[in-house]
Amino acid sequence: MPGMHRFFTLDGTQVPVCRLGLATRGNTHLTRDDVLLALDRGLNYWNWCGHPDGMAEAIRELGSQRKRVVIATQLWARDEQGVRTELQQVLDRLQIDHLDVATHYYVERLEEWRQIAGPGGALQGLRKAQERGRVGAIGLTTHQRELALRILRERRLDLLMIRYNAAHRGAEDRIFPEAADLRIPLVAFTALRWCDLLKPTPQDPARSGIQL
């Protein structure tokens, strides 16, 4: 994939990644071959959903290509012991020795963040794993922009994962500039709103729809 601006390197990882990533969810149907084809086309930021699927199969078969891929997943645990157990389960299921990106999953309330970031919280557990080389970058996934701003300003994370697409706008006004000033990378999820943004609407000009 030509063009230097299509790739960047996340702090905590050593692999330049394509700005367009690939993700699975429990109800998606990407096969192992689909995922490996995406890698051949340059999509090397893979966000695994935690369920047995084609991406998990592809990761287990990467072999020497593992060094080309940044593997990310979200973790549910809020305390140190829980996240240590969950991280080990992920590594075992994917048959890898480290996770490039781990984010605290669906943090939607300030109380959750306080638990995660407090003494004995999951952030403490991931930082210890990071020191041992088992985790690269540590982030957080949320839909809540005000909460995201507050957490960004604490500067305790390596990246932020937030919902952003043409139907869910607003992050470009506050989140993006703040993250740029703090030099904290952003990962946007549901960019096509689960394919809804590919569907035609009555307001579309004639012959403007995308053929799927």
Side-chain angles (χ1 to χ4, degrees):
M1 297 179 70
M4 61 180 293
H5 297 300
R6 294 189 180 184
F7 291 85
F8 69 103
T9 302
L10 292 169
D11 291 341
T13 71
Q14 304 299 319
V15 182
V17 293
C18 180
R19 290 183 179 274
L20 177 64
L22 184 69
T24 59
R25 196 166 182 250
N27 60 354
T28 54
H29 303 287
L30 288 175
T31 68
R32 162 198 171 276
D33 291 341
D34 294 331
V35 177
L36 293 176
L37 177 62
L39 178 60
D40 288 341
R41 298 296 187 270
L43 273 66
N44 66 333
Y45 185 96
W46 293 1
N47 191 94
W48 180 54
C49 66
H51 296 277
D53 63 8
M55 182 173 284
E57 292 180 35
I59 292 171
R60 289 193 291 267
E61 296 182 20
L62 279 173
S64 62
Q65 294 194 91
R66 169 69 178 95
K67 60 187 178 182
R68 296 178 52 200
V69 182
V70 168
I71 298 172
T73 197
Q74 286 70 61
L75 302 175
W76 284 98
R78 299 314 194 215
D79 62 277
E80 182 177 352
Q81 180 58 49
V83 84
R84 185 184 304 124
T85 300
E86 191 175 4
L87 174 61
Q88 187 60 56
Q89 291 171 345
V90 168
L91 297 178
D92 290 344
R93 288 170 184 166
L94 298 179
Q95 298 176 16
I96 56 178
D97 61 4
H98 73 281
L99 190 62
D100 298 292
V101 177
T103 71
H104 304 289
Y105 196 31
Y106 274 150
V107 181
E108 303 293 284
R109 297 179 295 112
L110 180 58
E111 292 75 15
E112 290 179 275
W113 170 242
R114 286 175 173 163
Q115 180 184 3
I116 289 168
L123 180 58
Q124 184 172 305
L126 286 184
R127 287 297 179 201
K128 290 180 180 179
Q130 189 179 52
E131 291 169 2
R132 297 194 300 271
R134 293 165 64 80
V135 170
I138 299 170
L140 179 142
T141 305
T142 186
H143 294 77
Q144 309 304 321
R145 292 194 292 270
E146 291 303 317
L147 177 60
L149 275 175
R150 179 172 185 149
I151 294 172
L152 275 175
R153 289 166 182 166
E154 292 185 20
R155 306 188 71 165
R156 302 185 65 182
L157 297 174
D158 304 317
L159 64 84
L160 175 71
M161 187 170 173
I162 191 163
R163 179 177 63 177
Y164 177 70
N165 56 53
H168 297 107
R169 292 171 291 178
E172 71 276 19
D173 295 329
R174 301 185 64 193
I175 303 293
F176 291 5
E178 188 99 16
D181 289 343
L182 295 172
R183 301 184 65 82
I184 297 176
L186 294 178
V187 177
F189 63 90
T190 62
L192 295 175
R193 201 186 182 195
W194 307 113
C195 290
D196 283 349
L197 296 178
L198 295 177
K199 298 174 183 177
T201 72
Q203 290 74 37
D204 290 343
R207 296 196 180 92
S208 67
I210 297 175
Q211 299 299 314
L212 298 178

